[in-house]
Amino acid sequence: MILLRTAALSLRMLARSRVRAALAVAGIAVAVFILCAERAVHSGIVEATAANERDTRLIVYRANRFCPFTSRLPERYADEVASIEGVKSAVPMQIVVSNCRASLDVVVFRGVRAADAARGIAARVRFVEGSLDAFLARGDGALVGSALAARRGLKPGDRLSAAGITVTVAGIVDADGPQDRNACFVQLPFLQAAAGGVQGGEVTQLEVEVADPAKLREVATLIDARFATDLAPTTTRPEKAFVARAAADLVAIAEFAGFLGVGALLAIFALVANAIVLSLEHRTRELAVLQSVGFPGKALAFGIVVESSALAFVGAVVGAGAASLVLGLGRFSLGAEGVLVEFRPSGVTAAASVALALAVGIAAGLIPAIAASRKAIVEGLRAA
Amino acid sequence: MTGATAAADAAFIRCTRLTKVFRRGDTEIVPLRDLDLEIPRGAFVSLMGPSGSGKTTLLNLLAGLDGATRGELWIDGQELSRLSRDQLARWRAKSVGIIFQSYNLVPVLTAYENVELPLLLHDLSRRERHERTMAALETVSLVDRASHFPRQLSGGQEQRVAIARAIVADPPLLLADEPTGDLDRVSADLVLDLLGRLHRERGRTIVMVTHDPLAAARAPLKLHLDKGALESTRVDSVSMEGARTAAGEVAP
Ligand SMILES: Nc1ncnc2c1ncn2[C@@H]1O[C@H](COP(=O)(O)OP(=O)(O)OP(=O)(O)O)[C@@H](O)[C@H]1O
Ligand SMILES: [Mg+2]
């Protein structure tokens, strides 16, 4: 009972010290915001690049080419690949990006044949708005991934221009992978004509679905073996590995951002500890007075920890909330060499950040609390 | 010490050979040396003495805020040195009210909340706490200032709030360290009137340290502390209201 009442008293006294509380909360909120942003980058990278045993997609690229501007494969490869044992489907795809380097606002055009759009693409996306028929009905029609649509505020009928290409939105599609969510699917002949520099009958890559995820690597080897002595030898990788290679810069940046996450945690610790230690410093006498009134040192220590946890908790909720809002509204994705990594808010990340901040808040308050409660009361009474 | 048992039963506070030593490096300061003292229940004692004579030190021991180096200190049948820090806190919550020279109110709490503080340590409902807090504010005539913060009060009012805080949980013992030291004559008289009434009407045992002879004159019992020993004791038995005379033996 005494513990609870002391905790309530601590919170009341904290609430009365508004400036001090607000400053601490603001600092912690910023740190938690950074932490959440870093976690979003991290999970975006993981989502785009970490292989799992359910992956079935292979990307066939021109050997020793690393950018959609230079990779060229004959469109006819698709039919040959389709006949390879274990291959479910092969979609030849022309990729045109508005910016080949790392950028936050990349538009990736994916040119597909009408027949492939009807089978392969329609199977891996869900229509949010518009329809496949609307897409096929017009030459410059585009199916826009939900993330790109949200970022650019697109709806069916809108026009989208990038990389000198203008398309008309025929549908908005949602998908499980970040590549499709950020794609702008257009018809292959239209893209080949619009992009220029590309020979008819040539595409950037093949997207191959294998029947058995366990045979992913095996099929990749078969494909490369088939074209090893051809004019355009290939390198085939699982999609995640392909993205990891293409986005190697981003992965490196994300790894570096991991330090920011650790730094944010340390900052939370420092901010809470600072707020508590400073406030205790000029509350030495107050604590001694409370003890002279009969408050046990343990209860006061508990009150201090409650105070530090409250600061951390409120700061974390504000920071995580702001991060979720910014990431959710911005639908950020970082593109490089035609692949995309999304930074999406996640409830789990937000909750984990709040929990982490709370733990750090408790840890930061603990030592000052114990030290303050053990201080000789008569010393405290003499303090200014 | 024949007959000491009887005296001990009667004495509310009893110190035997109470000694406090402060060590700072090589130097030893002994503000209290082998102090023997008995104060009966219901006494109002003023404690005077030159600066540095150990008055505050003694009061801190009586309040259980600090431990004696040697000797025994019994208050209301309880030997304080046997209590742990937590037990002392609990003991303080129910047995002592402390009044400081500098009031020591919590600045972010209102007068009402400051007075209510000790009651948070007791098993009382919110309603009971409210009634007792208001009664204590009533006693110090500050009901109309209940929602004021300390910085909105005068020094005299602050000290009366502090007195309300000291008496709200109804402790039998009140300790005051120069309660009028920072106050003008009028405010000081108000505070002294209050202490006098608490003694007379409610039978509180009060030990008040003071430098002010006028304040000391209010107390029926006057002790004089010097160089760690009680040098003189004058008992004004007229106003002791039937309490056993007793009080302070001169250290040999
Ligand atoms: N914590 C401490 N450490 C060292 N010395 C102390 C400590 N507390 C008190 N003293 C010393 O003990 C002596 C008595 O101090 P105390 O505060 O009891 O005096 P006092 O009678 O209350 O004086 P005043 O009238 O000035 O308030 C002084 O010499 C003081 O310096
Ligand atoms: Mg003193």
Side-chain angles (χ1 to χ4, degrees):
Chain A
M1 177 199 73
I2 290 180
L3 284 187
L4 286 181
R5 286 186 181 166
T6 311
L9 180 69
S10 292
L11 292 179
R12 189 190 305 166
M13 286 163 58
L14 177 64
R16 298 268 170 86
S17 320
R18 261 193 219 120
V19 175
R20 172 171 80 83
L23 285 175
V25 163
I28 295 159
V30 170
V32 171
F33 184 95
I34 294 172
L35 182 65
C36 285
E38 184 277 318
R39 286 288 90 189
V41 171
H42 176 83
S43 57
I45 296 273
V46 168
E47 184 191 26
T49 63
N52 67 57
E53 65 280 10
R54 278 168 284 108
D55 292 343
T56 55
R57 192 173 300 165
L58 291 170
I59 306 293
V60 183
Y61 226 57
R62 179 73 171 269
N64 302 318
R65 302 286 167 82
F66 303 107
C67 175
F69 285 127
T70 54
S71 177
R72 298 267 187 278
L73 292 175
E75 205 178 312
R76 65 173 166 84
Y77 274 19
D79 299 326
E80 288 188 45
V81 168
S83 68
I84 290 174
E85 170 96 34
V87 171
K88 204 162 84 185
S89 70
V91 174
M93 202 176 273
Q94 171 76 24
I95 307 283
V96 175
V97 296
S98 61
N99 188 344
C100 202
R101 287 186 287 178
S103 164
L104 266 180
D105 189 25
V106 186
V107 176
V108 180
F109 291 104
R110 294 175 167 254
V112 290
R113 300 183 301 202
D116 290 326
R119 277 180 284 118
I121 304 306
R124 67 194 218 195
V125 300
R126 298 176 293 278
F127 278 85
V128 179
E129 282 183 80
S131 66
L132 183 68
D133 290 342
F135 170 62
L136 295 174
R138 49 187 305 163
D140 69 343
L143 293 180
V144 177
S146 56
L148 175 61
R151 189 160 65 242
R152 290 285 189 114
L154 296 172
K155 54 187 188 311
D158 287 351
R159 295 171 73 75
L160 167 64
S161 292
I165 300 165
T166 301
V167 297
T168 303
V169 179
I172 311 288
V173 294
D174 201 5
D176 293 330
Q179 306 313 324
D180 288 350
R181 275 197 298 265
N182 287 276
C184 179
F185 293 102
V186 294
Q187 299 210 35
L188 182 59
F190 166 80
L191 189 62
Q192 284 171 330
V198 191
Q199 310 276 314
E202 274 194 341
V203 293
T204 309
Q205 64 190 38
L206 305 181
E207 295 203 0
V208 176
E209 295 289 332
V210 302
D212 178 5
K215 300 238 169 72
L216 201 59
R217 298 267 172 189
E218 204 176 300
V219 173
T221 313
L222 285 176
I223 293 171
D224 290 342
R226 167 75 65 100
F227 304 113
T229 57
D230 210 314
L231 269 177
T234 59
T235 301
T236 304
R237 296 189 185 87
E239 185 189 35
K240 302 280 179 62
F242 173 78
V243 173
R245 202 217 58 78
D249 297 356
L250 305 187
V251 174
I253 291 168
E255 270 169 21
F256 176 74
F259 291 112
L260 289 184
V262 176
L265 276 183
L266 291 176
I268 297 168
F269 184 89
L271 285 163
V272 177
N274 181 57
I276 291 299
V277 169
L278 277 185
S279 98
L280 288 181
E281 220 157 68
H282 68 95
R283 275 160 58 202
T284 311
R285 183 199 277 252
E286 184 177 299
L287 287 171
V289 169
L290 289 174
Q291 291 188 76
S292 78
V293 163
F295 281 86
K298 280 179 199 136
L300 293 177
F302 179 70
I304 292 166
V305 172
V306 165
E307 185 178 328
S308 71
S309 329
L311 287 175
F313 181 76
V314 174
V317 167
V318 171
S324 299
L325 207 65
V326 169
L327 291 170
L329 291 178
R331 294 298 293 264
F332 297 106
S333 68
L334 194 53
E337 296 179 14
V339 301
L340 286 145
V341 175
E342 276 188 343
F343 308 142
R344 292 200 296 169
S346 115
V348 177
T349 301
S353 302
V354 171
L356 217 53
L358 196 57
V360 167
I362 291 171
L366 211 51
I367 289 170
I370 291 171
S373 71
R374 288 210 180 143
K375 206 169 195 165
I377 304 174
V378 286
E379 302 282 335
L381 286 175
R382 265 205 302 268
Chain B
M1 288 273 270
T2 40
T5 334
D9 288 345
F12 184 67
I13 299 174
R14 182 161 63 91
C15 312
T16 32
R17 304 184 70 77
L18 194 66
T19 302
K20 180 68 184 179
V21 181
F22 290 112
R23 282 199 183 80
R24 272 282 145 81
D26 302 339
T27 47
E28 266 193 3
I29 299 165
V30 191
L32 296 178
R33 189 188 296 279
D34 292 331
L35 181 79
D36 290 324
L37 169 67
E38 285 187 11
I39 294 174
R41 185 182 296 274
F44 183 1
V45 182
S46 71
L47 188 57
M48 292 190 73
S51 186
S53 58
K55 303 183 295 296
T56 297
T57 303
L58 175 59
L59 222 56
N60 285 340
L61 294 182
L62 293 180
L65 295 174
D66 203 357
T69 310
R70 279 193 303 278
E72 286 188 3
L73 170 56
W74 292 82
I75 297 182
D76 206 4
Q78 179 75 60
E79 213 282 295
L80 293 197
S81 68
R82 288 177 202 163
L83 298 181
S84 69
R85 192 169 170 156
D86 273 359
Q87 286 171 322
L88 276 174
R90 227 168 297 146
W91 175 80
R92 271 197 302 278
K94 72 172 173 37
S95 310
V96 209
I98 307 174
I99 302 156
F100 302 93
Q101 175 174 358
S102 45
Y103 330 130
N104 280 339
L105 299 179
V106 179
V108 294
L109 298 181
T110 61
Y112 179 95
E113 290 164 336
N114 266 287
V115 174
E116 191 192 20
L117 280 177
L119 297 181
L120 297 177
L121 302 164
H122 292 80
D123 195 5
L124 297 170
S125 69
R126 180 183 286 269
R127 199 194 147 83
E128 289 170 309
R129 293 206 304 271
H130 177 74
E131 280 164 6
R132 288 222 199 174
T133 304
M134 291 315 283
L137 283 168
E138 177 93 57
T139 304
V140 299
S141 313
L142 282 175
V143 173
D144 55 332
R145 297 307 186 111
S147 60
H148 286 57
F149 287 93
R151 69 185 127 77
Q152 300 166 322
L153 298 173
S154 73
Q157 288 166 337
E158 279 195 77
Q159 191 60 299
R160 275 148 63 203
V161 172
I163 291 174
R165 180 176 68 188
I167 62 172
V168 72
D170 233 6
L173 176 61
L174 291 181
L175 301 174
D177 195 351
E178 301 185 40
T180 59
D182 285 357
L183 301 180
D184 63 25
R185 194 69 256 163
V186 177
S187 303
D189 282 338
L190 262 174
V191 164
L192 292 167
D193 288 347
L194 259 172
L195 291 176
R197 262 174 46 214
L198 289 167
H199 160 63
R200 269 180 276 107
E201 295 169 13
R202 306 213 188 156
R204 295 285 166 271
T205 307
I206 302 176
V207 180
M208 173 178 74
V209 168
T210 184
H211 281 293
D212 175 8
L214 284 176
R218 301 283 196 114
L221 218 59
K222 297 174 197 67
L223 299 181
H224 195 87
L225 201 58
D226 204 0
K227 296 189 187 114
L230 288 168
E231 291 220 318
S232 67
T233 310
R234 283 187 290 133
V235 182
D236 184 350
S237 54
V238 180
S239 51
M240 283 300 291
E241 293 180 351
R244 291 171 59 99
T245 44
E249 297 164 354
V250 182

